[in-house]
Amino acid sequence: MRPTKLKVGLVQQAVADNDKVTNWNKSAEQIAKLAAEGCECILLQELHSTLYFCQQEDTDAFDLAEPIPGPATEFFGELAEKHNIVLVTSLFEKRGSGLYHNTAVVFDRSKEIAGKYRKMHIPDDPGFYEKFYFTPGDMGFTPIETSVGKLGVLVCWDQWYPEAARLMAMAGADLLFYPTAIGWDLTDTDDERARQHGAWETIQRAHAVANSVPVIVANRTGFEASPVDGDPGIQFWGQSFIAGPQGEILAKAEADGETTLSVELDMERTEKVKRIWPYFRDRRIDAYDDLTKRWRD
């Protein structure tokens, strides 16, 4: 039986270097803290093992990737089993020579991998040169079945696409998870920073509203200097949050500082909200064919 009450948690972390073991141990301390608070399902941020290496295009950065299964999945699988939790992690996956993905891996109270998701939407912007590193995912939008429900796991840039959230929800996702690594260019004005953050939070809360499911978002914090001379680096804006099925903010972290969040979710309320706001009943699927086109020319 799935729980009617589910305590979820997330870790908001800063990364100082590419020492994976140190970064894993930092995450492990916070995972243990959340598990001790009664969290049964815990989310880590995007690419939590290392610095955000996508600030430049550098073939040496591929050395940071690892296979699945591999050292990271072994480490975090043992934590999931030790603490009897569902754990959502994020890895730079080496699928094969010259073939890499940005991949979320889920463990269900066991060392064994319950499922994974490969990031589908890959950005390419100044300071975020992800297309150089990541092949777009080829696993589609399929929730991962766990002991606490079906988890719709998406990754960072996926957060801007309502189609991705909708397809996860249509496949029965009970919750949506977004591990992210997003921040400001230090040359942006305060007004522009506020607009960017507002858009980021609003779109993800809207996924909760449109699909009547809770949304859990773990974002990186701290400043990471660019390895490119003259580039401003990235101030990751933290502000991780957990929203309920009507988009209401249940918990939110500060912009600066490493922290954890935990919330007890009433999973029965999701069903009640879907009965009151039956969006899926009223969808006009007979009129949406053009959504599969790039553009309506």
Side-chain angles (χ1 to χ4, degrees), residues 118-164:
R118 291 179 175 137
K119 185 174 181 177
M120 292 283 280
H121 302 95
I122 312 297
D124 190 71
D125 297 297
F128 295 86
Y129 298 110
E130 295 197 12
K131 279 186 167 63
F132 181 79
Y133 295 101
F134 307 130
T135 299
D138 56 358
M139 302 179 72
F141 301 104
T142 303
I144 296 168
E145 184 75 59
T146 73
S147 57
V148 299
K150 289 185 177 181
L151 312 188
V153 182
L154 298 159
V155 179
C156 205
W157 194 237
D158 292 328
Q159 69 210 354
W160 300 100
Y161 294 86
E163 300 93 336

Side-chain angles (χ1 to χ4, degrees), residues 188-197:
D188 289 334
T189 65
D190 288 344
D191 285 347
E192 176 60 19
R193 293 182 189 188
R195 287 191 292 267
Q196 289 178 8
H197 173 262

Side-chain angles (χ1 to χ4, degrees), residues 2-3 6 40-41 86 108-109 146-151 174-175:
R2 291 178 179 174
L6 174 63
E40 294 186 76
C41 185
V86 175
D108 187 5
R109 309 179 192 271
T146 73
S147 57
V148 299
K150 289 185 177 181
L151 312 188
D174 297 298
L175 309 100

Side-chain angles (χ1 to χ4, degrees), residues 30-241:
Q30 302 309 311
I31 290 167
K33 173 187 170 184
L34 288 167
E37 294 174 4
C39 290
E40 294 186 76
C41 185
I42 298 172
L43 171 67
L44 301 181
Q45 67 202 32
E46 183 185 21
L47 300 172
H48 49 77
S49 294
T50 66
L51 292 166
Y52 181 74
F53 50 86
C54 305
Q55 291 197 62
Q56 67 171 342
E57 296 182 354
D58 179 7
T59 54
D60 288 342
F62 288 108
D63 291 337
L64 298 173
E66 61 180 86
I68 297 175
T73 57
E74 181 178 351
F75 182 91
F76 288 103
E78 288 178 354
L79 288 178
E81 184 169 276
K82 175 182 177 181
H83 296 296
N84 191 33
I85 56 170
V86 175
L87 181 60
V88 183
T89 67
S90 173
L91 304 175
F92 184 17
E93 177 189 4
K94 181 177 181 180
R95 186 175 179 184
S97 183
L99 180 59
Y100 304 83
H101 296 281
N102 187 332
T103 304
V105 182
V106 177
F107 303 90
D108 187 5
R109 309 179 192 271
S110 167
K111 295 178 185 178
E112 302 302 317
I113 294 172
K116 61 187 179 182
Y117 166 81
R118 291 179 175 137
K119 185 174 181 177
M120 292 283 280
H121 302 95
I122 312 297
D124 190 71
D125 297 297
F128 295 86
Y129 298 110
E130 295 197 12
K131 279 186 167 63
F132 181 79
Y133 295 101
F134 307 130
T135 299
D138 56 358
M139 302 179 72
F141 301 104
T142 303
I144 296 168
E145 184 75 59
T146 73
S147 57
V148 299
K150 289 185 177 181
L151 312 188
V153 182
L154 298 159
V155 179
C156 205
W157 194 237
D158 292 328
Q159 69 210 354
W160 300 100
Y161 294 86
E163 300 93 336
R166 177 69 90 200
L167 287 168
M168 285 291 193
M170 286 173 62
D174 297 298
L175 309 100
L176 295 176
F177 290 82
Y178 291 94
T180 73
I182 189 169
W184 292 296
D185 181 325
L186 293 182
T187 63
D188 289 334
T189 65
D190 288 344
D191 285 347
E192 176 60 19
R193 293 182 189 188
R195 287 191 292 267
Q196 289 178 8
H197 173 262
W200 174 81
E201 182 180 291
T202 300
I203 191 69
Q204 291 175 101
R205 292 175 66 185
H207 299 328
V209 175
N211 297 292
S212 303
V213 294
V215 167
I216 298 92
V217 183
N219 190 38
R220 181 180 297 235
T221 190
F223 175 73
E224 294 184 25
S226 173
V228 180
D229 289 342
D231 282 2
I234 301 174
Q235 180 66 49
F236 292 97
W237 62 42
Q239 300 182 77
S240 305
F241 68 92

